[in-house]
Amino acid sequence: LPHHTGVVSHVAVDIGGTLAKLVYFTREPDTADNGGRLNFLNFETHRIDLCINFIRQLKEEHEKRNGSARDGLCVVATGGGAYKYYDRLKEELNVNILREEEMECLIIGLDFFITEIPNEVFTYSDSDAEPMQYAEARPDVYPYLLVNIGSGVSMIKVSGPRQFERVGGTHLGGGTFWGIMSLLTGSRTFDDMLAMADRGDNSAVDMLVGDIYGMDYTKIGLKSTAIASTFGKVLRLKNDAEQGADGEGSIRGDHPSESSEASHGPKPNPEDMSRSLLYAISNNIGQIAYLQSEKHSVKHIYFGGSFIRGHRQTMNTLSYAIRFWSKGEKQAYFLRHEGYLGAVGAFIRRQP
Ligand code: ADP
């Protein structure tokens, strides 16, 4: 239910593969013209009915306040769902739906956050006393790379206001983490998954440089704690456990009644797998982002999309990857409203 008493004038919704992001403006009835606030919320896309109901309530409120619905509520839609659900939105809301192109909205939203909103953009590094530092506005905004980590990942080079090109992406994204995590751990919500990753120790399942070398691999500049292979230790651990259970050297199957559990091995701890998978996805995206930034001569890399969700390990991994590969030449930036770039862009583009 709308938790406000203000007058709603304008709603934008960015309907992605996983989440529908809603942004709307409310104006307190008795304040000056431009006094108001932006509200942010999201719904799971598979419950688009809840999202539509919410917008319907905003619409009814709008009509109530405005007497006759002379100026109907303005609903702007972007993302794939603006196409997939277009007819449904139109019919069920009985309003005109204005559609806007997704990448354009992302960039307009990001430009707005970078140039207009103080305390929105920040850098992150766990090795600093104060890991989160708000970024000063830079006079040289362009060019930059936007890496949007939603269900999938898009990388967009922006060369000037509304001048952009999608240069690449990867399908190993937030949806991959979300899907594989549900298989591995049985957790059902994204925040549970992140909390599990917080508690885990990836070295229990990942093969580290130290597992191979027994020490740092100094010549190459790899610390013993560097990950050599994500999940690379899992089968080895299972085999060890089996040998332990069956007695050294015994061949599994000799005692089928006793070995049925051992033949599946002990399942690695879900927390450890969560941490490992979070690192795998974030490191991979960080490295591809770095390579794209090199290819397209860009120094500043902004990470957006709901996958990030202000999570420390995710941001630290992305930030570390950019600093490590660029030898400190390039910088990763994050946003407080990272999931709402597209919705804010759609909102601004059709601002009355
Ligand atoms: P899309 O536009 O593709 O839906 P988003 O930017 O909304 O992409 O990001 C979706 C991703 O964000 C999911 O794949 C998941 O990794 C993560 N995520 C964050 N919050 C949630 C949530 N409440 N439910 C599901 N996934 C979430």
Side-chain angles (χ1 to χ4, degrees):
L1 290 175
H3 291 295
H4 57 79
T5 54
V7 178
V8 182
S9 52
H10 183 197
V11 178
V13 61
D14 171 8
I15 311 176
T18 308
L19 298 175
K21 282 77 62 180
L22 192 67
V23 171
Y24 61 96
F25 188 75
T26 50
R27 189 172 286 139
E28 296 311 315
D30 41 11
T31 54
D33 262 353
N34 49 5
R37 56 179 298 180
L38 269 184
N39 304 268
F40 301 87
L41 81 166
N42 65 49
F43 300 85
E44 289 190 21
T45 302
H46 83 108
R47 293 308 310 273
I48 195 72
D49 56 315
L50 298 179
C51 180
I52 292 175
N53 276 343
F54 189 92
I55 300 175
R56 186 182 299 114
Q57 286 174 20
L58 294 178
K59 179 192 165 199
E60 283 162 6
E61 197 161 334
H62 173 84
E63 285 169 358
K64 206 161 69 200
R65 303 268 179 183
N66 285 275
S68 80
R70 188 173 43 90
D71 297 314
L73 180 70
C74 172
V75 177
V76 193
T78 187
Y83 295 86
K84 184 169 174 187
Y85 299 110
Y86 181 74
D87 292 337
R88 200 165 152 193
L89 286 166
K90 225 172 135 67
E91 270 167 34
E92 294 188 19
L93 290 170
N94 192 24
V95 293
N96 209 9
I97 308 289
L98 308 169
R99 268 184 298 201
E100 289 295 338
E101 201 276 321
E102 170 175 2
M103 301 284 153
E104 216 163 287
C105 290
L106 281 176
I107 297 309
I108 292 171
L110 178 53
D111 267 352
F112 173 74
F113 279 136
I114 295 175
T115 56
E116 308 276 343
I117 308 295
N119 297 349
E120 173 66 32
V121 180
F122 59 94
T123 59
Y124 193 90
S125 170
D126 258 356
S127 52
D128 296 344
E130 189 46 67
M132 183 179 166
Q133 297 282 349
Y134 285 116
E136 299 281 318
R138 285 179 288 109
D140 55 332
V141 173
Y142 307 104
Y144 66 74
L145 188 71
L146 167 61
V147 179
N148 195 60
I149 316 179
S151 310
V153 184
S154 281
M155 301 187 185
I156 303 161
K157 178 183 179 175
V158 184
S159 319
R162 307 199 178 190
Q163 229 186 304
F164 65 89
E165 180 193 359
R166 185 183 190 277
V167 293
T170 164
H171 45 85
L172 297 181
T176 315
F177 177 76
W178 161 250
I180 295 181
M181 278 295 286
S182 75
L183 290 175
L184 290 178
T185 70
S187 55
R188 315 229 25 124
T189 74
F190 190 71
D191 288 342
D192 278 357
M193 294 173 184
L194 292 182
M196 284 181 112
D198 270 341
R199 298 191 298 266
D201 170 9
N202 68 302
S203 70
V205 291
D206 289 351
M207 189 183 284
L208 307 186
V209 167
D211 291 320
I212 305 172
Y213 275 74
M215 58 170 102
D216 289 353
Y217 184 2
T218 4
K219 196 168 162 211
I220 303 290
L222 288 175
K223 285 196 264 178
S224 64
T225 51
I227 301 168
S229 169
T230 293
F231 283 86
K233 230 153 64 180
V234 172
L235 189 57
R236 183 60 214 289
L237 292 172
K238 287 181 138 194
N239 287 340
D240 285 354
E242 272 168 32
Q243 294 212 329
D246 286 356
E248 209 174 12
S250 83
I251 295 166
R252 180 157 41 88
D254 279 358
H255 311 285
S257 60
E258 288 167 25
S259 63
S260 65
E261 194 200 331
S263 69
H264 293 100
K267 200 165 159 58
N269 162 340
E271 274 89 3
D272 299 342
M273 294 192 287
S274 308
R275 172 80 72 118
S276 169
L277 188 61
L278 185 71
Y279 279 164
I281 296 285
S282 322
N283 266 320
N284 187 56
I285 293 170
Q287 184 167 24
I288 298 172
Y290 162 73
L291 292 171
Q292 290 289 4
S293 75
E294 279 291 284
K295 186 170 177 207
H296 297 282
S297 313
V298 175
K299 265 184 76 167
H300 305 284
I301 306 171
Y302 292 84
F303 288 93
S306 307
F307 171 70
I308 297 172
R309 202 157 167 65
H311 190 252
R312 292 183 309 112
Q313 284 162 359
T314 307
M315 296 190 296
N316 199 55
T317 306
L318 290 167
S319 196
Y320 182 84
I322 299 302
R323 233 177 315 124
F324 177 82
W325 293 110
S326 72
K327 302 192 166 65
E329 294 286 303
K330 301 191 184 200
Q331 179 70 57
Y333 297 93
F334 303 94
L335 296 126
R336 287 182 52 203
H337 296 88
E338 76 270 272
Y340 291 92
L341 302 182
V344 166
F347 184 90
I348 293 170
R349 221 179 131 75
R350 292 295 189 130
Q351 205 157 19

